[in-house]
Amino acid sequence: MQPDLDRAQEAIRQSDERYGKLLASITDYIYTVRLQNGVVVETSHGPGCLAVTGYTPQQYASDPDLWHRMVHPDDTTAVVANAAEMSQGKVPPTIEHRIFHRDGSIRWARNQRVPYYDPGGNHAGH
């Protein structure tokens, strides 16, 4: 049984490594939100986040709610509703909204969410 577990863990490690390399090679700002029982437990942000938001991937990793707090208050309801559509099994439309850059300026962002599911078919993030 242990060899199977070792192979599975190595496959996961290799998959994570490939994903990290892919994410680092993309020039747009791409992020992933991981959910557990419908609650955000982790976010992963590509290097493009620095140019768009002023925050590094490490800052997002250490503060899982940063991505949500930087949404302009007038746009929060629409952003949350857009994300909630995925929990209902829908792929929401692209949404444009404002965010606060680390320097305090307001920027516009276009957000296209792409859901992903766990092996049981449950919405696991986007």
Side-chain angles (χ1 to χ4, degrees):
M1 185 71 117
Q2 185 63 34
D4 290 340
L5 179 60
D6 291 343
R7 281 194 295 275
Q9 289 174 333
E10 178 60 18
I12 291 170
R13 187 197 64 73
Q14 288 177 1
S15 177
D16 286 347
E17 186 177 307
R18 281 191 305 274
Y19 176 72
K21 287 178 182 177
L22 175 64
L23 195 58
S25 70
I26 296 173
T27 56
D28 286 343
Y29 173 21
I30 295 183
Y31 67 94
T32 300
V33 176
R34 188 169 64 86
L35 303 173
Q36 195 169 54
N37 298 321
V39 176
V40 175
V41 294
E42 177 183 47
T43 63
S44 174
H45 297 257
C49 67
L50 184 60
V52 174
T53 70
Y55 295 98
T56 67
Q58 295 78 16
Q59 288 171 301
Y60 284 104
S62 66
D63 185 354
D65 199 42
L66 175 59
W67 70 275
H68 189 264
R69 286 195 321 274
M70 52 187 271
V71 174
H72 191 283
D74 292 344
D75 298 338
T76 301
T77 300
V79 170
V80 170
N82 183 265
E85 286 189 45
M86 284 193 297
S87 64
Q88 299 167 4
K90 302 175 186 175
V91 177
T94 299
I95 184 173
E96 292 185 3
H97 62 88
R98 292 164 288 184
I99 61 169
F100 289 104
H101 188 275
R102 185 174 181 191
D103 67 10
S105 65
I106 295 174
R107 308 263 175 112
W108 280 93
R110 179 177 297 137
N111 208 334
Q112 175 60 56
R113 299 177 196 278
V114 178
Y116 66 91
Y117 301 92
D118 67 19
N122 300 305
H123 180 224
H126 53 272

